[in-house]
Amino acid sequence: MKKLQGAQLRKPVTADLLMTPSDQGDVDLDVGFAADRGNWTGKLDFLLSCIGYCVGLGNVWRFPYRTYTNGGGAFLVPYFLMLAICGLPLFFLELALGQFSSLGPLAVWKISPLFKGAGAAMLLIVGLVAIYYNMIIAYVLFYLFASLTSDLPWEHCGNWWNTDLCLEHRGSKDRNGALPLNLTSTVSPSEEYWSRYVLHIQGSQGIGSPGEIRWNLCLCLLLAWVIVFLCILKGVKSSGKVVYFTATFPYLILLMLLVRGVTLPGAWKGIQFYLTPQFHYLLSSKVWIEAALQIFYSLGVGFGGLLTFASYNTFHQNIYRDTFIVTLGNAITSILAGFAIFSVLGYMSQELGVPVDQVAKAGPGLAFVVYPQAMTMLPLSPFWSFLFFFMLLTLGLDSQFAFLETIVTAVTDEFPYYLRPKKAVFSGLICVAMYLLGLVLTTDGGMYWLVLLDDYSASFGLMVVVITTCLAVTRVYGIQRFCRDIHMMLGFKPGLYFRACWLFLSPATLLALLVYSIIKYQPSEYGSYRFPAWAELLGILMGLLSCLLIPAGMLVAVLREEGSLWERLQQASRPAMDWGPSLEENRTGMYVATLAGSQSPKPLMVHMRKYGGITSFENTAIEVDREIEEEEESMM
């Protein structure tokens, strides 16, 4: 088998000078990959997977709420500025790392083994997030099945789960448009359906006594994990095809909900509330921090998903173009989702006779309480409810695919000879383990554990990981060397804008976010429930554990070296001998010398004789070689 692979790699490749390998059609996509690792099977697989990964539940239930609470349309100013300072550069950096090395979040630290703990921290964070994120998908499945009826179960009071406080707010106005009752002293049927029936939270006395497992939620969680497993069964070859539906269909549903929303009476009231600029908010540091946090979490930087997806690309895939497409597409999607959500909330506000800010909520409260209640006010309410939750399902699955693929790829890249042949079995074991760990979330008090995981699993720990990655690549490995690698891969060097962001602006902004999150620390809460001290301590330790993995990894890397402490630090900081492009044909310039048996003083010329004539990318390699020689001469 190895002989056949070697023979295939030795065939001359005559590339079109005007085309990159990624533009030459699906037939040539396998040229740049190791046969036993796998790769994307189509040119759009990677792009759609990144779009599906970044465009998730947060675009629907977090961005609109943050916009109207932070100055409306004025919030878009810091939002797009933070996108330029943090979003674009960090997104491009992570893609470049993955594509250049064709390695996952652990093995990619051959670039500097001293920081391999950052890769382990990524896996811990993404593992914790995947556990509770699939529980949210289970809630969506629950509501999706509940929508398959002629009357939505959260439309009326009088069910066994309702209390005396339940009031059907729809149609509660008299002829003069005045409300006969104070709505603040009542509870909507949708809210009691969510808290008392779906969660059955009244069966728990707090996070310390979660109560019994809810069999219906348990089955929904099982179904969610089965769907995820089947879609990642063959790695990116299967998930790359599923995203053609899951990444595009939500836009169709979003468009339908947007058209339906803006045609409702009172819709403009909600849209005006959503986007009316209040520029005095820009004088508050909180607004800028909120914008940076929204960009940071919505693009999924630091979770390892982008790095993993890029590692399955061809070596010359134009990730520079893809970076702008995905990041700007994510921002536009968030804004459109805000129009769709607040147009319906404006209609709901008019129907109830209350201000928009009394019906608008953030997080799960918007998806599982407010919007379902709004659906009951529309004709054909089960149809619109089904569409809404089906959109949430497809949005959530894309992100979950990325989380699981990140974990599986990272571990199999570390133990390729043992796990790659059994990748499907290994993926199944990961899904089973995470399902069992997530069973506590299906109990009566499972929402308390979900809130704790959401608040601490990817909070300050994720920022520390991203800051460490940025500094390790630009300061330890070297910004010039990293730009040279990108030059070899894409045919051009990143401009001053990207270098300035990687060296100064992005790390400084993330450090400010980290300090702000520590100074403004607030204990977790869910409604009126305040978490006990031991639960808060557990959450803080959860976040600290990912941070502690970084120095622990440094200690292990130093102990593996020999010599004095300084010598060990220097040796552990240097790239591994086999660092570089994964395939021999892509190892041009300085990286040819790191191949086994390479003794040629002019490795690039050997490379050209071996693989055919000079292509546009080999011209780039010649330029890189010339730059290296000039640097060496200047240092002598």
mmCIF file of all heavy atoms in Angstrom, residues 100 111 473-474 476-488 493 573-576 579 590-591 594 624 628 631:
data_model
loop_
_atom_site.group_PDB
_atom_site.id
_atom_site.type_symbol
_atom_site.label_atom_id
_atom_site.label_comp_id
_atom_site.label_asym_id
_atom_site.label_seq_id
_atom_site.Cartn_x
_atom_site.Cartn_y
_atom_site.Cartn_z
ATOM 1 N N PHE A 100 -1.598 24.647 6.954
ATOM 2 C CA PHE A 100 -0.172 24.488 6.679
ATOM 3 C C PHE A 100 0.354 23.147 7.179
ATOM 4 O O PHE A 100 1.188 22.506 6.521
ATOM 5 C CB PHE A 100 0.615 25.634 7.319
ATOM 6 C CG PHE A 100 2.084 25.594 7.033
ATOM 7 C CD1 PHE A 100 2.582 26.027 5.809
ATOM 8 C CD2 PHE A 100 2.984 25.115 7.982
ATOM 9 C CE1 PHE A 100 3.937 25.983 5.533
ATOM 10 C CE2 PHE A 100 4.339 25.077 7.717
ATOM 11 C CZ PHE A 100 4.816 25.512 6.486
ATOM 12 N N ILE A 111 4.809 22.893 16.097
ATOM 13 C CA ILE A 111 5.336 24.225 15.800
ATOM 14 C C ILE A 111 6.135 24.763 16.980
ATOM 15 O O ILE A 111 7.100 25.512 16.802
ATOM 16 C CB ILE A 111 4.179 25.189 15.443
ATOM 17 C CG1 ILE A 111 4.717 26.509 14.890
ATOM 18 C CG2 ILE A 111 3.274 25.443 16.624
ATOM 19 C CD1 ILE A 111 3.644 27.441 14.384
ATOM 20 N N VAL A 473 2.708 31.727 18.480
ATOM 21 C CA VAL A 473 2.950 31.727 17.036
ATOM 22 C C VAL A 473 3.743 32.959 16.609
ATOM 23 O O VAL A 473 4.690 32.856 15.820
ATOM 24 C CB VAL A 473 1.607 31.652 16.273
ATOM 25 C CG1 VAL A 473 1.826 31.844 14.776
ATOM 26 C CG2 VAL A 473 0.937 30.311 16.526
ATOM 27 N N THR A 474 3.379 34.118 17.132
ATOM 28 C CA THR A 474 3.992 35.359 16.644
ATOM 29 C C THR A 474 5.293 35.703 17.357
ATOM 30 O O THR A 474 6.201 36.275 16.754
ATOM 31 C CB THR A 474 3.013 36.530 16.800
ATOM 32 O OG1 THR A 474 2.635 36.665 18.177
ATOM 33 C CG2 THR A 474 1.772 36.303 15.969
ATOM 34 N N VAL A 476 7.187 33.416 19.764
ATOM 35 C CA VAL A 476 8.129 32.311 19.947
ATOM 36 C C VAL A 476 8.517 31.700 18.603
ATOM 37 O O VAL A 476 9.705 31.602 18.268
ATOM 38 C CB VAL A 476 7.530 31.240 20.881
ATOM 39 C CG1 VAL A 476 8.511 30.088 21.079
ATOM 40 C CG2 VAL A 476 7.163 31.856 22.227
ATOM 41 N N TYR A 477 7.529 31.285 17.835
ATOM 42 C CA TYR A 477 7.819 30.754 16.502
ATOM 43 C C TYR A 477 8.342 31.860 15.589
ATOM 44 O O TYR A 477 9.254 31.649 14.788
ATOM 45 C CB TYR A 477 6.557 30.120 15.919
ATOM 46 C CG TYR A 477 6.734 29.485 14.564
ATOM 47 C CD1 TYR A 477 7.517 28.350 14.398
ATOM 48 C CD2 TYR A 477 6.104 30.022 13.445
ATOM 49 C CE1 TYR A 477 7.674 27.766 13.150
ATOM 50 C CE2 TYR A 477 6.251 29.443 12.196
ATOM 51 C CZ TYR A 477 7.036 28.317 12.057
ATOM 52 O OH TYR A 477 7.198 27.741 10.811
ATOM 53 N N GLY A 478 7.756 33.041 15.710
ATOM 54 C CA GLY A 478 8.231 34.200 14.956
ATOM 55 C C GLY A 478 7.266 34.640 13.886
ATOM 56 O O GLY A 478 6.825 33.834 13.064
ATOM 57 N N ILE A 479 6.918 35.922 13.905
ATOM 58 C CA ILE A 479 5.957 36.451 12.946
ATOM 59 C C ILE A 479 6.508 36.372 11.519
ATOM 60 O O ILE A 479 5.769 36.074 10.571
ATOM 61 C CB ILE A 479 5.572 37.908 13.315
ATOM 62 C CG1 ILE A 479 4.453 38.427 12.419
ATOM 63 C CG2 ILE A 479 6.787 38.815 13.249
ATOM 64 C CD1 ILE A 479 3.149 37.767 12.611
ATOM 65 N N GLN A 480 7.814 36.606 11.342
ATOM 66 C CA GLN A 480 8.393 36.539 10.005
ATOM 67 C C GLN A 480 8.337 35.119 9.461
ATOM 68 O O GLN A 480 8.026 34.888 8.288
ATOM 69 C CB GLN A 480 9.840 37.046 10.034
ATOM 70 C CG GLN A 480 9.991 38.512 10.379
ATOM 71 C CD GLN A 480 9.326 39.418 9.345
ATOM 72 O OE1 GLN A 480 9.199 39.060 8.176
ATOM 73 N NE2 GLN A 480 8.878 40.593 9.782
ATOM 74 N N ARG A 481 8.636 34.172 10.307
ATOM 75 C CA ARG A 481 8.620 32.766 9.876
ATOM 76 C C ARG A 481 7.196 32.319 9.550
ATOM 77 O O ARG A 481 6.966 31.600 8.578
ATOM 78 C CB ARG A 481 9.204 31.902 10.990
ATOM 79 C CG ARG A 481 9.602 30.510 10.564
ATOM 80 C CD ARG A 481 10.379 29.838 11.662
ATOM 81 N NE ARG A 481 10.884 28.547 11.237
ATOM 82 C CZ ARG A 481 11.656 27.782 11.997
ATOM 83 N NH1 ARG A 481 12.019 28.192 13.190
ATOM 84 N NH2 ARG A 481 12.064 26.606 11.553
ATOM 85 N N PHE A 482 6.243 32.755 10.374
ATOM 86 C CA PHE A 482 4.847 32.384 10.133
ATOM 87 C C PHE A 482 4.348 32.998 8.829
ATOM 88 O O PHE A 482 3.654 32.332 8.047
ATOM 89 C CB PHE A 482 3.994 32.849 11.316
ATOM 90 C CG PHE A 482 2.551 32.441 11.238
ATOM 91 C CD1 PHE A 482 2.190 31.110 11.123
ATOM 92 C CD2 PHE A 482 1.543 33.401 11.270
ATOM 93 C CE1 PHE A 482 0.857 30.733 11.046
ATOM 94 C CE2 PHE A 482 0.213 33.037 11.202
ATOM 95 C CZ PHE A 482 -0.129 31.702 11.090
ATOM 96 N N CYS A 483 4.688 34.253 8.584
ATOM 97 C CA CYS A 483 4.293 34.900 7.327
ATOM 98 C C CYS A 483 4.954 34.225 6.135
ATOM 99 O O CYS A 483 4.363 34.130 5.054
ATOM 100 C CB CYS A 483 4.649 36.383 7.368
ATOM 101 S SG CYS A 483 3.636 37.360 8.506
ATOM 102 N N ARG A 484 6.196 33.748 6.321
ATOM 103 C CA ARG A 484 6.876 33.037 5.248
ATOM 104 C C ARG A 484 6.159 31.716 4.930
ATOM 105 O O ARG A 484 6.049 31.322 3.768
ATOM 106 C CB ARG A 484 8.323 32.776 5.651
ATOM 107 C CG ARG A 484 9.209 32.235 4.532
ATOM 108 C CD ARG A 484 10.590 31.924 5.060
ATOM 109 N NE ARG A 484 11.226 33.128 5.564
ATOM 110 C CZ ARG A 484 11.995 33.162 6.661
ATOM 111 N NH1 ARG A 484 12.183 32.073 7.367
ATOM 112 N NH2 ARG A 484 12.539 34.298 7.039
ATOM 113 N N ASP A 485 5.683 31.046 5.967
ATOM 114 C CA ASP A 485 4.915 29.804 5.747
ATOM 115 C C ASP A 485 3.646 30.087 4.952
ATOM 116 O O ASP A 485 3.277 29.328 4.040
ATOM 117 C CB ASP A 485 4.555 29.164 7.091
ATOM 118 C CG ASP A 485 5.765 28.618 7.832
ATOM 119 O OD1 ASP A 485 6.823 28.434 7.188
ATOM 120 O OD2 ASP A 485 5.656 28.391 9.049
ATOM 121 N N ILE A 486 2.953 31.167 5.311
ATOM 122 C CA ILE A 486 1.740 31.537 4.586
ATOM 123 C C ILE A 486 2.071 31.902 3.145
ATOM 124 O O ILE A 486 1.330 31.572 2.206
ATOM 125 C CB ILE A 486 1.022 32.696 5.307
ATOM 126 C CG1 ILE A 486 0.529 32.233 6.686
ATOM 127 C CG2 ILE A 486 -0.148 33.216 4.481
ATOM 128 C CD1 ILE A 486 -0.098 33.328 7.512
ATOM 129 N N HIS A 487 3.220 32.568 2.943
ATOM 130 C CA HIS A 487 3.673 32.912 1.593
ATOM 131 C C HIS A 487 3.880 31.653 0.755
ATOM 132 O O HIS A 487 3.461 31.574 -0.407
ATOM 133 C CB HIS A 487 4.978 33.709 1.701
ATOM 134 C CG HIS A 487 5.432 34.283 0.397
ATOM 135 N ND1 HIS A 487 6.689 34.813 0.210
ATOM 136 C CD2 HIS A 487 4.814 34.399 -0.806
ATOM 137 C CE1 HIS A 487 6.815 35.242 -1.033
ATOM 138 N NE2 HIS A 487 5.687 34.995 -1.667
ATOM 139 N N MET A 488 4.496 30.651 1.338
ATOM 140 C CA MET A 488 4.706 29.384 0.646
ATOM 141 C C MET A 488 3.385 28.711 0.311
ATOM 142 O O MET A 488 3.226 28.102 -0.751
ATOM 143 C CB MET A 488 5.545 28.453 1.524
ATOM 144 C CG MET A 488 5.777 27.069 0.939
ATOM 145 S SD MET A 488 6.486 25.925 2.139
ATOM 146 C CE MET A 488 8.004 26.767 2.543
ATOM 147 N N LYS A 493 2.336 37.122 1.158
ATOM 148 C CA LYS A 493 2.471 37.307 2.593
ATOM 149 C C LYS A 493 1.305 38.122 3.151
ATOM 150 O O LYS A 493 0.783 38.987 2.457
ATOM 151 C CB LYS A 493 3.786 38.032 2.913
ATOM 152 C CG LYS A 493 5.022 37.161 2.845
ATOM 153 C CD LYS A 493 6.231 37.945 3.339
ATOM 154 C CE LYS A 493 7.469 37.058 3.371
ATOM 155 N NZ LYS A 493 8.650 37.798 3.879
ATOM 156 N N SER A 573 11.087 25.035 22.752
ATOM 157 C CA SER A 573 10.406 26.099 22.020
ATOM 158 C C SER A 573 10.561 25.957 20.515
ATOM 159 O O SER A 573 9.726 26.469 19.756
ATOM 160 C CB SER A 573 10.960 27.469 22.448
ATOM 161 O OG SER A 573 10.771 27.672 23.830
ATOM 162 N N ARG A 574 11.633 25.281 20.071
ATOM 163 C CA ARG A 574 11.885 25.162 18.643
ATOM 164 C C ARG A 574 10.877 24.217 18.001
ATOM 165 O O ARG A 574 10.407 23.270 18.629
ATOM 166 C CB ARG A 574 13.298 24.645 18.382
ATOM 167 C CG ARG A 574 14.394 25.584 18.872
ATOM 168 C CD ARG A 574 15.742 25.130 18.338
ATOM 169 N NE ARG A 574 16.825 25.919 18.912
ATOM 170 C CZ ARG A 574 17.637 25.491 19.864
ATOM 171 N NH1 ARG A 574 17.485 24.265 20.349
ATOM 172 N NH2 ARG A 574 18.588 26.260 20.327
ATOM 173 N N PRO A 575 10.566 24.428 16.732
ATOM 174 C CA PRO A 575 9.682 23.492 16.024
ATOM 175 C C PRO A 575 10.281 22.088 15.978
ATOM 176 O O PRO A 575 11.513 21.929 15.944
ATOM 177 C CB PRO A 575 9.577 24.093 14.612
ATOM 178 C CG PRO A 575 9.959 25.524 14.772
ATOM 179 C CD PRO A 575 10.956 25.571 15.884
ATOM 180 N N ALA A 576 9.435 21.082 15.988
ATOM 181 C CA ALA A 576 9.899 19.705 15.863
ATOM 182 C C ALA A 576 10.541 19.493 14.498
ATOM 183 O O ALA A 576 10.286 20.236 13.545
ATOM 184 C CB ALA A 576 8.727 18.742 16.061
ATOM 185 N N TRP A 579 8.173 19.292 11.623
ATOM 186 C CA TRP A 579 7.183 20.366 11.459
ATOM 187 C C TRP A 579 7.183 20.857 10.012
ATOM 188 O O TRP A 579 8.228 21.023 9.404
ATOM 189 C CB TRP A 579 7.477 21.524 12.392
ATOM 190 C CG TRP A 579 6.752 22.793 12.022
ATOM 191 C CD1 TRP A 579 7.283 23.919 11.475
ATOM 192 C CD2 TRP A 579 5.339 23.036 12.142
ATOM 193 N NE1 TRP A 579 6.308 24.863 11.260
ATOM 194 C CE2 TRP A 579 5.102 24.351 11.655
ATOM 195 C CE3 TRP A 579 4.265 22.287 12.604
ATOM 196 C CZ2 TRP A 579 3.837 24.913 11.633
ATOM 197 C CZ3 TRP A 579 3.005 22.850 12.595
ATOM 198 C CH2 TRP A 579 2.797 24.135 12.112
ATOM 199 N N MET A 590 12.918 25.526 2.630
ATOM 200 C CA MET A 590 13.634 25.063 3.814
ATOM 201 C C MET A 590 13.084 23.761 4.374
ATOM 202 O O MET A 590 13.786 23.046 5.088
ATOM 203 C CB MET A 590 13.575 26.143 4.906
ATOM 204 C CG MET A 590 12.171 26.478 5.362
ATOM 205 S SD MET A 590 12.137 27.768 6.628
ATOM 206 C CE MET A 590 12.874 26.912 8.004
ATOM 207 N N TYR A 591 11.826 23.436 4.075
ATOM 208 C CA TYR A 591 11.231 22.250 4.682
ATOM 209 C C TYR A 591 11.657 20.952 4.020
ATOM 210 O O TYR A 591 11.449 19.879 4.570
ATOM 211 C CB TYR A 591 9.698 22.376 4.683
ATOM 212 C CG TYR A 591 9.218 23.417 5.644
ATOM 213 C CD1 TYR A 591 8.824 24.678 5.203
ATOM 214 C CD2 TYR A 591 9.197 23.178 7.004
ATOM 215 C CE1 TYR A 591 8.402 25.655 6.085
ATOM 216 C CE2 TYR A 591 8.776 24.149 7.907
ATOM 217 C CZ TYR A 591 8.383 25.376 7.437
ATOM 218 O OH TYR A 591 7.984 26.338 8.326
ATOM 219 N N THR A 594 14.134 18.848 6.017
ATOM 220 C CA THR A 594 13.676 18.100 7.187
ATOM 221 C C THR A 594 13.131 16.738 6.824
ATOM 222 O O THR A 594 12.737 15.982 7.701
ATOM 223 C CB THR A 594 12.568 18.884 7.928
ATOM 224 O OG1 THR A 594 11.431 19.019 7.064
ATOM 225 C CG2 THR A 594 13.050 20.260 8.319
ATOM 226 N N VAL A 624 10.958 32.396 -1.408
ATOM 227 C CA VAL A 624 11.157 32.137 0.018
ATOM 228 C C VAL A 624 12.591 31.718 0.279
ATOM 229 O O VAL A 624 13.238 32.159 1.233
ATOM 230 C CB VAL A 624 10.169 31.062 0.518
ATOM 231 C CG1 VAL A 624 10.500 30.663 1.950
ATOM 232 C CG2 VAL A 624 8.739 31.569 0.434
ATOM 233 N N ILE A 628 15.434 33.570 2.687
ATOM 234 C CA ILE A 628 16.162 32.893 3.761
ATOM 235 C C ILE A 628 17.664 33.091 3.596
ATOM 236 O O ILE A 628 18.388 33.360 4.564
ATOM 237 C CB ILE A 628 15.809 31.392 3.779
ATOM 238 C CG1 ILE A 628 14.328 31.196 4.124
ATOM 239 C CG2 ILE A 628 16.674 30.650 4.781
ATOM 240 C CD1 ILE A 628 13.860 29.770 3.989
ATOM 241 N N GLU A 631 18.641 36.573 4.627
ATOM 242 C CA GLU A 631 18.637 36.733 6.076
ATOM 243 C C GLU A 631 19.873 36.103 6.699
ATOM 244 O O GLU A 631 20.485 36.642 7.613
ATOM 245 C CB GLU A 631 17.377 36.110 6.669
ATOM 246 C CG GLU A 631 16.110 36.916 6.407
ATOM 247 C CD GLU A 631 14.909 36.299 7.074
ATOM 248 O OE1 GLU A 631 15.085 35.384 7.888
ATOM 249 O OE2 GLU A 631 13.781 36.737 6.776
#
